[in-house]
Coordinates of all heavy atoms in Angstrom, one line a residue:
Chain A
E24 N 21.6 38.5 0.1 CA 22.4 38.6 -1.2 C 21.7 37.7 -2.3 O 21.7 38.2 -3.5 CB 23.8 38.1 -0.9 CG 24.7 39.0 0.0 CD 24.2 38.9 1.4 OE1 23.6 37.9 1.9 OE2 24.5 39.9 2.2
E25 N 21.3 36.5 -2.0 CA 20.6 35.7 -3.0 C 19.3 36.3 -3.4 O 18.9 36.4 -4.5 CB 20.5 34.2 -2.5 CG 21.6 33.3 -2.7 CD 22.7 33.6 -1.6 OE1 22.4 33.8 -0.4 OE2 24.0 33.6 -2.0
Y27 N 18.6 39.4 -3.4 CA 18.8 40.5 -4.2 C 19.1 40.2 -5.7 O 18.5 40.7 -6.6 CB 20.0 41.3 -3.6 CG 20.4 42.5 -4.5 CD1 19.7 43.7 -4.3 CD2 21.4 42.4 -5.5 CE1 20.0 44.8 -5.1 CE2 21.7 43.6 -6.3 CZ 21.1 44.7 -6.1 OH 21.3 45.8 -6.9
Y29 N 18.4 37.4 -7.3 CA 17.3 36.8 -7.9 C 16.1 37.6 -8.1 O 14.9 37.2 -8.5 CB 16.9 35.5 -7.3 CG 17.9 34.4 -7.5 CD1 19.0 34.2 -6.8 CD2 17.8 33.5 -8.7 CE1 20.0 33.2 -7.0 CE2 18.7 32.5 -8.9 CZ 19.8 32.3 -8.1 OH 20.7 31.3 -8.4
Q31 N 16.0 40.2 -10.0 CA 16.0 41.0 -11.2 C 16.7 40.3 -12.3 O 17.4 39.3 -12.0 CB 16.8 42.3 -10.9 CG 18.2 42.1 -10.3 CD 18.8 43.3 -9.6 OE1 18.8 44.4 -10.2 NE2 19.2 43.2 -8.4
K92 N 19.1 25.2 -12.5 CA 20.3 24.8 -13.2 C 21.1 23.7 -12.6 O 22.0 23.1 -13.2 CB 21.2 26.1 -13.2 CG 20.8 27.1 -14.2 CD 21.8 28.2 -14.5 CE 21.9 29.2 -13.4 NZ 20.7 29.9 -13.1
A120 N 28.2 22.0 -26.8 CA 29.5 21.3 -26.6 C 29.4 19.7 -26.5 O 30.2 19.0 -27.2 CB 30.1 21.8 -25.3
K124 N 31.1 17.2 -29.4 CA 32.0 16.2 -28.9 C 31.5 14.7 -29.2 O 32.3 13.9 -29.7 CB 32.2 16.4 -27.4 CG 33.3 15.4 -26.9 CD 33.6 15.7 -25.5 CE 34.7 14.6 -25.0 NZ 35.0 14.8 -23.6
S139 N 24.8 30.6 -21.2 CA 24.3 30.3 -20.0 C 22.7 30.2 -20.0 O 22.2 29.8 -19.0 CB 24.7 31.3 -18.9 OG 24.6 32.7 -19.4
T326 N 25.8 40.0 -27.2 CA 26.0 40.4 -25.8 C 26.8 41.7 -25.6 O 26.5 42.5 -24.7 CB 26.7 39.1 -25.0 OG1 25.9 38.0 -25.1 CG2 27.0 39.4 -23.6
R327 N 27.8 41.8 -26.5 CA 28.6 43.1 -26.4 C 27.8 44.3 -26.6 O 28.2 45.4 -26.2 CB 29.8 43.0 -27.3 CG 31.0 42.1 -26.8 CD 32.2 42.5 -27.6 NE 32.1 41.8 -28.9 CZ 32.6 40.6 -29.1 NH1 33.2 39.9 -28.1 NH2 32.5 40.1 -30.3
D330 N 27.4 46.8 -23.8 CA 28.5 47.6 -23.4 C 28.7 48.9 -24.4 O 29.6 49.6 -24.2 CB 29.8 46.9 -23.3 CG 30.8 47.6 -22.4 OD1 30.4 48.1 -21.4 OD2 32.0 47.6 -22.7
K333 N 28.7 51.7 -22.4 CA 29.5 51.5 -21.3 C 28.6 51.4 -20.0 O 29.0 52.0 -18.9 CB 30.6 52.5 -21.1 CG 31.7 52.4 -22.2 CD 32.8 53.3 -22.0 CE 34.0 53.0 -22.9 NZ 33.7 52.8 -24.4
G335 N 26.3 48.6 -19.2 CA 26.0 47.2 -18.7 C 24.6 46.8 -18.9 O 24.1 45.9 -18.3
Chain B
H19 N 29.3 48.8 -12.9 CA 27.9 48.6 -13.4 C 27.9 48.1 -14.8 O 26.9 47.8 -15.4 CB 27.2 49.9 -13.4 CG 27.7 51.0 -14.2 ND1 28.8 51.8 -13.8 CD2 27.5 51.4 -15.5 CE1 29.1 52.6 -14.8 NE2 28.3 52.4 -15.8
R20 N 29.0 48.1 -15.5 CA 29.2 47.7 -16.9 C 28.9 46.1 -17.1 O 28.7 45.7 -18.2 CB 30.5 48.1 -17.5 CG 30.6 49.6 -17.6 CD 32.0 50.0 -18.1 NE 32.2 49.6 -19.5 CZ 33.4 49.7 -20.1 NH1 34.4 50.3 -19.4 NH2 33.6 49.3 -21.3
R23 N 26.0 40.7 -16.7 CA 25.7 39.4 -16.1 C 25.2 38.3 -17.1 O 24.2 37.7 -17.0 CB 24.6 39.6 -15.0 CG 24.5 38.5 -14.0 CD 24.1 39.0 -12.6 NE 22.8 39.5 -12.5 CZ 21.7 38.8 -12.2 NH1 21.7 37.5 -12.1 NH2 20.6 39.4 -12.1
C24 N 25.9 38.4 -18.2 CA 25.6 37.5 -19.4 C 26.0 36.0 -19.1 O 25.4 35.1 -19.5 CB 26.3 37.9 -20.6 SG 28.1 37.9 -20.5
D32 N 34.6 26.2 -24.8 CA 33.5 25.4 -25.5 C 32.2 25.3 -24.7 O 31.2 24.6 -25.2 CB 34.1 24.0 -25.8 CG 34.3 23.2 -24.6 OD1 34.0 23.6 -23.4 OD2 34.6 21.9 -24.7
R45 N 26.7 27.2 -6.8 CA 25.6 27.2 -7.8 C 24.6 28.3 -7.7 O 23.8 28.5 -8.6 CB 24.9 25.9 -7.8 CG 25.9 24.7 -8.2 CD 26.6 24.8 -9.5 NE 25.7 24.5 -10.6 CZ 25.6 23.4 -11.2 NH1 26.3 22.4 -10.7 NH2 24.8 23.1 -12.2
E47 N 23.6 32.1 -8.2 CA 24.1 33.1 -9.1 C 25.0 34.2 -8.4 O 25.9 34.8 -9.0 CB 23.0 33.9 -9.8 CG 22.3 33.1 -10.9 CD 23.0 32.8 -12.1 OE1 23.8 33.6 -12.5 OE2 23.0 31.7 -12.6
T48 N 24.8 34.2 -7.1 CA 25.7 35.2 -6.3 C 27.1 34.8 -6.4 O 27.9 35.7 -6.2 CB 25.1 35.1 -4.9 OG1 24.8 33.8 -4.5 CG2 24.0 36.0 -4.6
E65 N 22.4 49.4 -1.5 CA 21.2 48.6 -1.7 C 21.3 47.3 -0.9 O 20.3 46.7 -0.5 CB 20.9 48.3 -3.1 CG 20.4 49.5 -3.9 CD 20.0 49.2 -5.4 OE1 20.3 48.1 -5.8 OE2 19.7 50.1 -6.0
S69 N 27.7 42.0 5.1 CA 27.2 40.9 6.0 C 28.3 39.7 5.8 O 29.1 39.8 4.9 CB 25.9 40.4 5.5 OG 26.1 39.8 4.2
N71 N 27.6 36.8 4.9 CA 27.3 36.1 3.6 C 27.9 36.8 2.5 O 28.5 36.2 1.6 CB 25.8 35.9 3.4 CG 25.5 34.9 2.3 OD1 26.1 33.9 2.3 ND2 24.5 35.3 1.5
P90 N 33.2 38.4 -22.8 CA 33.3 39.0 -24.2 C 33.4 40.6 -24.2 O 33.5 41.1 -25.3 CB 32.0 38.6 -24.8 CG 31.0 38.5 -23.6 CD 31.8 38.1 -22.4
M91 N 33.4 41.1 -23.0 CA 33.3 42.7 -23.0 C 34.7 43.3 -23.0 O 35.7 42.6 -22.6 CB 32.6 43.1 -21.7 CG 31.2 42.6 -21.6 SD 30.1 43.0 -23.0 CE 28.6 42.8 -22.2
D311 N 39.9 17.6 -20.7 CA 39.2 18.4 -21.7 C 39.4 19.9 -21.3 O 39.6 20.7 -22.2 CB 37.7 18.2 -21.5 CG 37.3 16.8 -22.2 OD1 38.1 16.4 -23.1 OD2 36.2 16.4 -22.1

Side-chain angles (χ1 to χ4, degrees):
Chain A
E24 293 73 23
E25 276 77 40
Y27 177 85
Y29 286 89
Q31 55 200 308
K92 285 194 286 298
K124 182 174 179 183
S139 48
T326 300
R327 275 197 288 271
D330 202 37
K333 294 188 168 43
Chain B
H19 63 277
R20 289 173 69 184
R23 202 145 66 85
C24 61
D32 67 357
R45 299 303 281 269
E47 286 295 322
T48 38
E65 289 178 2
S69 70
N71 193 42
M91 304 299 198
D311 282 346

